[in-house]
Amino acid sequence: MRPFGTTIFSEMSALAARTGAVNLGQGFPDTDGPAEMLAAAAEALAGGANQYPPLPGIPVLRHAITAHEQRFWGLTRDPDSEVVVTAGATEAIAAAILALCEPGDEVVCFEPYYDSYAASITLAGAIRRPVTLRPGPSGRYEFDEAELRAAFGGRTRLVLLNTPHNPTGKVFTRAELDLIAELCREHDTYAVTDEVYEHLVFESEHVPLASLPGMRERTLRISSAGKTFSCTGWKVGWATGPAPLVSAVQRVKQFLTFVNAGPLQPAVAVALGLPDAYFTGFTAGLRERRDRLVSGLTDAGLAVLPSEGTYFVTADIRPLGGTDGIEFCRELPDRCGVVAVPTQVFYDHQDAGRHLIRFAFCKRLDVIDEAVSRLKKLT
Ligand code: PMP
Ligand code: GLN
């Protein structure tokens, strides 16, 4: 694990703390999630829910997870055998890869990728086969069909897909997902989908890969309360899928954390059951912040790429004379008091992302405005 060093999120948040810069680097909201959820957590803590919960998660949360998947994505699951609660999506991803891969197996993924993917694949002794997302003529991040087809082969064990996608803000279209599904069926591979931003799609629609023909039986679908309910520090996530796959994840989880977040589990169950208005309001709030940041970054002279989902947007630094995102982000706090994240670190083929940086917009509007007014000093 020596090559993995310290994650960029820790490095950039430490830089923000040290310099007092506005932190649009690490993605975490600066306002709390729904009051009903916070009250339920306080009640559970005071009410004695403080010992080990059952390994798959408490029944009320497992039922809430399946009801939410049915309500929003039309997926029907058995809450007793097809759900496991995990320590955030991060543990679900690691446990899924450790459960499904043998050393030497290949994992097809898209780069740039969320940084835990490479580490989890390495922990399993597996090999990543990244397919590069590149801004196309419209600015949307796209992949080359031939490159994706070529990434699949005899050793492919699974495809690891994140949509909506961090750090690009790409939302995979139905046509793109159809192609991925076709390749999974053709090569008889599993799919592990990271859908933590499932409620943050601004223009199009979120389509779970598991909902496509022939995919339900081969897909582990992962999500987390952290994003949807603005509680990234709680680390309550889950994986859903066919019973044999979920049982394999449970077998690994037993020895990673065993169980997690006892008193927070009933609170997340309350949040998942909130009326539709909560979810539409959450999306609308982030859409407004995205629009505010995108227009501010554009005014500041950056070439902003479209963000269709998540709470991130990427921008090209070349119009401001930048060439290397890592250098640019390390200097940004001193130059203007703002922290961003270089997306280069999320690629194996780092050249593809050298000039791109990522900003998070899960922040109050006044914080976004302040960051923009500081960035304008760069021109
Ligand atoms: N996947 C993606 C794409 C993410 O952006 C994050 C955010 N941290 C995670 C997984 C991890 O989620 P969690 O905090 O629930 O472990
Ligand atoms: N998901 C968040 C991001 O991409 C935070 C990740 C982390 O701190 N590990 O910024």
Side-chain angles (χ1 to χ4, degrees), residues 301-320:
L302 288 151
V304 182
L305 295 158
S307 164
E308 307 161 328
T310 73
Y311 39 54
F312 303 112
V313 61
T314 54
D316 190 327
I317 55 175
R318 286 175 295 190
L320 290 182

Side-chain angles (χ1 to χ4, degrees), residues 7 9-10 25-28 90 114-115 166 197 227 235 311-312 341 346 358 360:
T7 86
F9 305 114
S10 305
Q26 191 179 23
F28 60 90
T90 307
Y114 182 59
D115 69 346
N166 176 13
Y197 300 103
K227 316 295 162 181
K235 298 297 272 191
Y311 39 54
F312 303 112
V341 164
F346 306 126
R358 187 196 80 175

Side-chain angles (χ1 to χ4, degrees), residues 87-91 93 114 117 162 166 194 196-197 224 226-227 232 235-237 312:
T90 307
E91 186 191 34
I93 293 160
Y114 182 59
Y117 294 5
N162 171 216
N166 176 13
D194 175 349
V196 298
Y197 300 103
S224 166
K227 316 295 162 181
T232 59
K235 298 297 272 191
V236 179
F312 303 112

Side-chain angles (χ1 to χ4, degrees), residues 253-321:
K253 182 192 161 72
Q254 291 182 102
F255 306 111
L256 292 177
T257 55
F258 182 48
V259 294
N260 61 287
L264 305 177
Q265 291 195 18
V268 171
V270 167
L272 285 164
L274 286 171
D276 288 0
Y278 168 77
F279 298 90
T280 49
F282 175 63
T283 314
L286 268 299
R287 186 187 290 113
E288 183 184 11
R289 288 153 213 248
R290 177 202 58 174
D291 292 346
R292 188 83 143 243
L293 182 63
V294 166
S295 74
L297 294 178
T298 309
D299 289 348
L302 288 151
V304 182
L305 295 158
S307 164
E308 307 161 328
T310 73
Y311 39 54
F312 303 112
V313 61
T314 54
D316 190 327
I317 55 175
R318 286 175 295 190
L320 290 182

